[in-house]
Amino acid sequence: MADLNNKIKQYQDFIIEILNEHAILPRESNELEDQVLIDRQNNHFQLVRIGWQDGERIESILLHFDIKPDGKIWIQTNWTNGRVAEDLLLRGVPKSDIVLGLHPPEYRQYTEFAVA
């Protein structure tokens, strides 16, 4: 159990690094703010963009990761140009621990990553 807890803690740190890297990228408007939302206890992590652009309210989830109890990272949302699965691989996360949750379950078998 200690190994799984250590792995989850390390994965949390990796995800937070990735979210923070994306949060500092230039935005289209100075009225938009990127916020990194971290819930370590329940293993939910998001990058959200909020504010105003051209007179319209913007509230969007740019990135969303979950870590499931089995220690697998689920990429739930990616509305960035970043290749966050590759960012995880570069940090040493094996493909078998990455699930592309943003793809329908029946298509995950055709990716190089875990199906669930």
Side-chain angles (χ1 to χ4, degrees), residues 15-65:
I15 290 168
I16 292 166
E17 286 174 8
I18 292 168
L19 293 172
N20 283 320
E21 288 170 5
H22 284 273
I24 62 170
L25 295 175
R27 293 177 297 283
E28 314 78 62
S29 167
N30 288 335
E31 294 182 30
L32 293 174
E33 177 184 356
D34 288 350
Q35 297 180 353
V36 175
L37 306 178
I38 300 166
D39 178 358
R40 282 186 182 264
Q41 182 176 349
N42 295 300
N43 287 308
H44 304 296
F45 308 88
Q46 292 184 342
L47 172 62
V48 299
R49 182 166 290 165
I50 61 169
W52 292 89
Q53 184 174 9
D54 301 325
E56 293 198 28
R57 181 72 176 163
I58 304 293
E59 299 175 72
S60 57
I61 298 171
L62 300 178
L63 288 169
H64 178 167
F65 296 89

Side-chain angles (χ1 to χ4, degrees), residues 70-84:
D70 63 1
K72 291 186 180 180
I73 298 171
W74 283 61
I75 302 171
Q76 304 287 20
T77 302
N78 181 6
W79 288 108
T80 73
N81 292 329
R83 300 176 59 112
V84 294

